[in-house]
Amino acid sequence: SDLDYDNFDGYVSSLAQIIQTLDLFSDVRLLAAICLKNSVNKCWTARGWARCLNITEKLMLRQFTTQFTNETDDRIAIQIQR
C-alpha cells in the first residue's frame, strides 16, 4: 500500500522549514516546495483539512504563505505561489 505522508503530524511544517532554510541545496528546497504544494492541493477541501492537518499546522501554513514572500529562487517561488 502507498504511504500517505500528508497524514503524519509535522509533515507540512517540516516542509515549510526546509523551504525556509536557505543553507540547503536549492534542489532540496524545490522538492520540499513541490511536496508542500501537492499536500495543500490534496487537502484543500474542508473534509481534507480535518484529515490531513491539525490546527497547529493549519496556522503555521497560513503564517508561512503570508510571510515567506522573499524567495529568490524563481523555481521555488512559483511552487509556493501555486
Side-chain angles (χ1 to χ4, degrees):
S1 69
D2 290 336
L3 190 56
D4 193 5
Y5 294 107
D6 302 318
N7 291 331
F8 288 114
D9 285 340
Y11 178 68
V12 169
S13 56
S14 295
L15 292 173
Q17 281 191 318
I18 291 169
I19 295 165
Q20 293 176 29
T21 306
L22 302 178
D23 301 4
L24 294 174
F25 290 111
S26 62
D27 287 345
V28 172
R29 294 177 60 239
L30 175 62
L31 180 58
I34 292 169
C35 290
L36 179 62
K37 178 194 72 169
N38 290 342
S39 291
V40 169
N41 287 342
K42 181 178 179 182
C43 299
W44 192 252
T45 64
R47 195 172 69 183
W49 276 122
R51 183 176 42 92
C52 294
L53 297 174
N54 61 38
I55 294 294
T56 304
E57 289 216 308
K58 288 180 196 178
L59 294 173
M60 184 285 316
L61 184 58
R62 287 183 187 130
Q63 182 179 20
F64 170 75
T65 55
T66 57
Q67 293 182 354
F68 193 70
T69 57
N70 59 345
E71 178 57 55
T72 58
D73 187 322
D74 291 339
R75 301 172 308 156
I76 296 170
I78 289 169
Q79 296 304 317
I80 293 171
Q81 292 171 0
R82 290 186 176 175

